[in-house]
Amino acid sequence: MLTKKTRSTALRITNVMLAVLLCPVAAWGWGDQGHKIVAVIAADNLTPTAQIHVASILGAQPNKSATATAMEAAAILPDRPEFREEYPLTKPWHFIDICLKDRRIDVPGECHEGNCVTAKIDEYSKRLKDANYDRWGAAGDLAFLIHFVGDIHQPLHAANNGDLGGNCVIVDLRSLETNLHAVWDTTVVRDLEYEIDSGKPETTAHKLERTYAAEKELDAWVPGHTDDIAWESNQIAHSEIYEALKLPVEPCVPPAAVCGNKPKVELNSSYLDHADAIAGHQLAKAGFRLASLLNEIWTQPVAMNDTMHAASPAVVPIVSSAVTDQIVGNRRSKIYAWPGCGTYDKMAPENRVEFPSRDAAEQAGYRAARNCP
């Protein structure tokens, strides 16, 4: 596990509150930071053959750095607000509601009509291996696969306690409230980054790689065992989230359409420390397993231009927009910028804060830079 540093409770809670404040209310997956960490770890562990395929599909130079950057952009595409609004049918693809009362044998039955994260991982793995792409083309299908492998390792994306995967459990963080699912999606990951003293997904990814290097071979992807990974995440949610917070096991049927009277829980520093360690381990496993899966998909050299021609023209600009629309704020000056602004590339790494939109930046108290196009 990661070595813990001595920090005051007051500083710890301040960092957590800041992370929550900067997170979107609706939580899908690990959040941008977590998905980027998974992508970087995976990029670092691709075989040369798989790296060339991935770079070709995503329109990147065939080197590790460029491939990692392209994978980071692709990883967060399925969570972009404009993408979710245009393709709402993809919403259930990000999770599988395995009830805490379920047994391992019940897992396949919780994936209704193939619209869940386990089925979609298997589907997009096969599509990419067979070069049989759907409406989103090679680039879109690869973006989905990168994202969903991250999702399945977020414990609350494979668990349900009659609470919509923790979305109905209100969390009290010193008068700032959000839900338990959002805390695990984004707050815990941000806190993990601050603990590592990076604040950047790339630095965090490399730290996690070193920390869990001995487990890399154990985390090889085994085709046909996607349900086992979902069950593993479910059991982590059961013991490390629900039991740790002393939340009773509730029936999952009939499914909750809206949140009723669910408990409010307080997350103390000890719980958050433990959550950081669990999340870091899960992110490392996701990165190693994603690399192993991509290495298994592509074992033959890429044919010149074949994969790029297979990509849908409508997909590549969407993948690119995940980078070009990035809003970054300076936590010291409280000014935000975007590519093309004079200050965008001049911010010190430790001062950079990422936002999903300009509205989110302004709601957090930031103003736009005056030297932007």
Side-chain angles (χ1 to χ4, degrees):
M1 291 297 182
L2 295 174
T3 302
K4 298 296 179 184
K5 298 180 179 179
T6 303
R7 292 163 291 172
S8 69
T9 300
L11 177 61
R12 178 55 179 272
I13 297 298
T14 297
N15 283 342
V16 173
M17 290 177 66
L18 174 62
V20 173
L21 182 63
L22 301 181
C23 294
V25 174
W28 287 36
W30 279 111
D32 286 357
Q33 298 300 102
H35 282 293
K36 288 180 178 181
I37 290 169
V38 172
V40 172
I41 294 173
D44 282 349
N45 290 278
L46 293 176
T47 62
T49 298
Q51 178 182 292
I52 292 173
H53 277 275
V54 170
S56 178
I57 288 174
L58 297 180
Q61 292 297 314
N63 60 67
K64 184 174 292 187
S65 176
T67 302
T69 299
M71 288 181 68
E72 286 184 77
I76 63 176
L77 167 64
D79 273 352
R80 297 298 85 195
E82 61 273 20
F83 186 88
R84 297 192 316 229
E85 290 172 8
E86 188 170 357
Y87 302 110
L89 80 163
T90 67
K91 182 175 181 179
W93 298 1
H94 294 250
F95 58 89
I96 178 170
D97 277 338
I98 305 172
C99 293
L100 296 190
K101 290 186 174 183
D102 280 344
R103 300 162 298 166
R104 170 61 182 84
I105 196 174
D106 299 319
V107 174
E110 297 292 10
C111 186
H112 305 292
E113 298 182 353
N115 287 310
C116 76
V117 68
T118 52
K120 291 302 174 181
I121 287 174
D122 290 343
E123 175 187 337
Y124 284 109
S125 298
K126 189 174 189 307
R127 285 189 179 281
L128 290 163
K129 192 175 184 69
D130 297 343
N132 179 28
Y133 314 117
D134 62 8
R135 64 190 295 184
W136 288 287
D141 290 0
L142 179 55
F144 276 134
L145 184 60
I146 294 169
H147 187 92
F148 293 152
V149 171
D151 277 343
I152 201 173
H153 287 84
Q154 206 280 53
L156 288 173
H157 275 247
N160 186 24
N161 194 34
D163 58 2
L164 303 180
N167 277 289
C168 295
V169 180
I170 303 303
V171 174
D172 190 351
L173 290 176
R174 290 211 176 172
S175 79
L176 184 62
E177 296 179 358
T178 182
N179 66 70
L180 187 61
H181 191 109
V183 167
W184 274 85
D185 270 352
T186 48
T187 308
V188 167
V189 177
R190 277 293 192 184
D191 198 40
L192 174 66
E193 290 183 317
Y194 291 131
E195 177 186 335
I196 291 173
D197 293 328
S198 69
K200 294 179 62 178
E202 296 80 10
T203 309
T204 303
H206 296 146
K207 170 67 175 179
L208 292 174
E209 276 187 87
R210 294 191 296 271
T211 301
Y212 297 106
E215 299 184 17
K216 177 182 173 182
E217 297 305 318
L218 297 174
D219 290 327
W221 187 274
V222 180
H225 286 256
T226 314
D227 282 354
D228 290 331
I229 295 176
W231 181 247
E232 175 189 80
S233 292
N234 174 272
Q235 294 301 285
I236 291 171
H238 197 302
S239 61
E240 308 300 338
I241 299 179
Y242 289 101
E243 285 187 3
L245 293 172
K246 296 181 171 57
L247 294 172
V249 175
E250 304 283 354
C252 292
V253 290
V258 294
C259 297
N261 286 327
K262 293 297 179 181
K264 178 185 290 187
V265 297
E266 182 176 352
L267 305 184
N268 58 32
S269 183
S270 176
Y271 176 85
L272 292 168
D273 275 337
H274 186 61
D276 289 353
I278 296 296
H281 197 181
Q282 287 298 99
L283 291 167
K285 284 192 288 188
F288 290 143
R289 285 170 173 166
L290 175 58
S292 176
L293 174 57
L294 297 177
N295 292 339
E296 189 273 332
I297 289 172
W298 290 297
T299 58
Q300 300 299 317
V302 63
M304 186 64 66
N305 294 327
D306 279 356
T307 50
M308 285 310 296
H309 288 159
S312 166
V315 171
V316 177
I318 296 177
V319 173
S320 299
S321 71
V323 175
T324 57
D325 291 340
Q326 182 66 62
I327 305 299
V328 176
N330 187 316
R331 61 167 52 90
R332 295 189 64 183
S333 66
K334 296 296 182 181
I335 293 174
Y336 71 87
W338 54 91
C341 301
T343 57
Y344 183 82
D345 294 319
K346 296 179 181 179
M347 295 183 200
E350 64 270 18
N351 293 330
R352 292 171 71 90
V353 180
E354 295 181 2
F355 295 96
S357 66
R358 299 183 190 185
D359 287 343
E362 291 177 358
Q363 289 173 8
Y366 288 67
R367 67 169 178 81
R370 295 192 175 95
N371 58 350
C372 296

